Amino acid sequence: MSTPSAPSTATPTGSELDELIDRASALARGLATSTERERALPARLVEELCATGLMRGCAPSALGALEAPPTTTLRGAERIARGDASAGWCVSIAATSSLLSAYLPEEGAGEIFGDPRTVAAGVWAPRGKATVVDGGLRVSGRWSFCSGISHSEWLFAGCVLDDQQGSAEAPVLRVVALPKAEIEVLDTWHTSGLRGTGSHDAVANELFVPDHHVLSLVDSRPRINAPLYRFPIFGFFALSIAAAALGNARGAIDELSEMAAGKVGQGSSRVLAERPATQAAVGEAEAALRAARAFYYEAIEEAWAASQLDQPVAESLRLGLRLAATHAVRTSAEVALSMYDLGGGTAIYEDSPLQRRFRDAHAATAHFQVNPAIWELTGRVLLGLPTKTAQL
């Protein structure tokens, strides 16, 4: 096994970045069994992922981070997920969490993301309550699905602000940066799929959060006026889930192809790859996956082009991001299911990579950013019906 790369203060780009991503993907695949068993990414894998720069890839270049275009971050997460979905998922979550550096006050952004080894998890849903106190907020709450919390130093957590400006219909929402050392992590992540993400619950009890660790995603603009931070942040979040799903689907085809080259089916003298039914199913899966990826990256490029302008990205482009992300995740699950079916009896064992790919794919479909409700939301917009689109 290769020796982990030590995180560097230099930001990798170009071919160096590609090599680091490929190295991390290969290591993720080699460690996938132990990652799932331990329900967390191994420390040496986290080091390799940090070395790519993707774990804080959306933090500003002023902090020595990549401030990478969406395609750079998402293609990187996809390639790592090809090795192991849990690893790619954790890269996606950390990267989108680093986007919040542009919404934090400058002091907070530097404090949290100035270190190249920093990893942050994020649950933006307002599951906590916050009260205004001198110099900041007093926060309590419990947040589920804290992906990557085991290897993170910070948790960005959503909360409802208890003040006189909000109401039950329109509460004042904030996101706060909580040091992991000051919260309790509960061992709750016992799931069918994506076990290696370690997406446990986290609890804060009357924790003081200074003002420079508080931000808003709904009633303020990013502090930094740059294309990356004009790109739709909620769309980016959904896309990050899809990147892991697409990589996992490609990995499922890889696993089936490897198996098919040597497996002889019961009652047959031919290996699985030589059977017409296998060939047809793999061809259909390949077409479906390529089509989903094409739509996905096309929607990203269109929104990225619009982000170069100093104005909000149009609703139609934000809609396209959500459609593409949801379609990619759900198509990827169908591809993983097809490969699992082709694996036959071999695939039903827990140590089968195809079984893990199948379970990981269907765990991804449960995420609220890409669940079937998105079809209804986007359908309402397409049909010209009144629809709340603030979080598209």
Side-chain angles (χ1 to χ4, degrees):
M1 194 68 68
S2 59
T3 304
S5 303
S8 167
T9 54
T11 303
T13 57
S15 60
E16 180 189 3
L17 178 58
D18 287 338
E19 290 173 8
L20 288 169
I21 290 171
D22 287 342
R23 177 173 171 153
S25 181
L27 181 60
R29 187 182 187 194
L31 295 175
T33 299
S34 59
T35 295
E36 178 167 78
R37 183 178 62 250
E38 298 300 322
R39 294 178 297 123
L41 302 188
R44 56 179 165 163
L45 177 56
V46 174
E47 290 180 17
E48 290 282 8
L49 296 174
C50 286
T52 67
L54 293 176
M55 299 291 260
R56 61 170 195 141
C58 298
S61 57
L63 294 177
L66 288 172
E67 194 175 326
T71 51
T72 299
T73 301
L74 296 168
R75 286 185 191 276
E78 180 189 5
R79 286 161 60 190
I80 290 166
R82 184 174 184 174
D84 177 48
S86 288
W89 184 281
C90 286
V91 170
S92 287
I93 295 301
T96 52
S97 295
S98 71
L99 272 171
L100 301 185
S101 56
Y103 291 79
L104 281 168
E106 186 173 4
E107 179 185 358
E111 184 177 322
I112 295 172
F113 290 106
D115 187 334
R117 296 164 297 183
T118 292
V119 182
V123 180
W124 305 347
R127 303 302 183 193
K129 293 184 178 180
T131 303
V132 176
V133 296
D134 187 28
L137 301 177
R138 187 74 62 183
V139 177
S140 295
R142 176 170 175 168
W143 296 267
S144 300
F145 307 110
C146 300
S147 296
I149 192 66
S150 300
H151 56 261
S152 297
E153 290 81 35
W154 294 86
L155 172 67
F156 283 97
C159 55
V160 176
L161 188 60
D162 181 17
D163 72 357
Q164 302 303 311
Q165 301 173 30
S167 66
E169 294 76 25
V172 177
L173 304 180
R174 293 291 181 267
V175 176
V176 294
L178 308 176
K180 191 179 78 171
E182 297 181 24
I183 60 178
E184 182 182 7
V185 178
L186 306 180
D187 186 1
T188 55
W189 192 244
H190 300 273
T191 58
S192 61
L194 293 171
R195 294 175 184 171
T197 63
S199 303
H200 303 290
D201 287 13
V203 177
N205 185 24
E206 293 295 303
L207 182 62
F208 173 72
V209 180
D211 284 330
H212 61 281
H213 288 174
V214 180
L215 63 98
S216 172
L217 291 174
V218 294
D219 56 14
S220 65
R221 294 173 63 87
R223 171 177 51 85
I224 302 172
N225 185 23
L228 179 59
Y229 309 116
R230 291 193 290 270
F231 191 88
I233 189 168
F234 293 108
F236 203 132
F237 188 20
L239 293 165
S240 73
I241 303 305
L246 287 167
N248 182 63
R250 173 56 60 197
I253 294 177
D254 291 342
E255 307 287 5
L256 186 279
S257 299
E258 188 174 303
M259 175 194 291
K263 179 180 177 179
V264 178
Q266 213 170 21
S268 174
S269 60
R270 295 179 298 178
V271 295
L272 192 59
E274 293 174 333
R275 297 173 59 183
T278 303
Q279 298 158 8
V282 170
E284 185 176 359
E286 182 71 24
L289 184 57
R290 288 195 195 188
R293 288 187 79 254
F295 177 27
Y296 176 82
Y297 285 110
E298 177 186 82
I300 293 169
E301 289 297 343
E302 289 177 348
W304 180 239
S307 299
Q308 308 307 305
L309 307 175
D310 191 10
Q311 60 189 39
V313 174
E315 181 183 271
S316 61
L317 297 177
R318 291 185 283 124
L319 178 74
L321 295 178
R322 299 304 297 276
L323 278 173
T326 303
H327 180 254
V329 170
R330 309 199 80 78
T331 300
S332 294
E334 293 170 2
V335 169
L337 171 59
S338 177
M339 298 303 99
Y340 171 80
D341 284 344
L342 287 173
T346 303
I348 70 171
Y349 289 92
E350 282 198 347
D351 62 355
S352 166
L354 282 174
Q355 196 212 74
R356 185 177 64 252
R357 297 290 187 180
F358 167 77
R359 290 186 282 103
D360 289 348
H362 287 80
T365 63
H367 197 284
F368 79 98
Q369 286 278 4
V370 292
N371 67 26
I374 299 301
W375 299 136
E376 179 181 347
L377 170 66
T378 54
R380 287 184 62 86
V381 175
L382 291 168
L383 291 168
L385 300 174
T387 310
K388 294 181 180 179
T389 61
Q391 294 193 12
L392 268 182

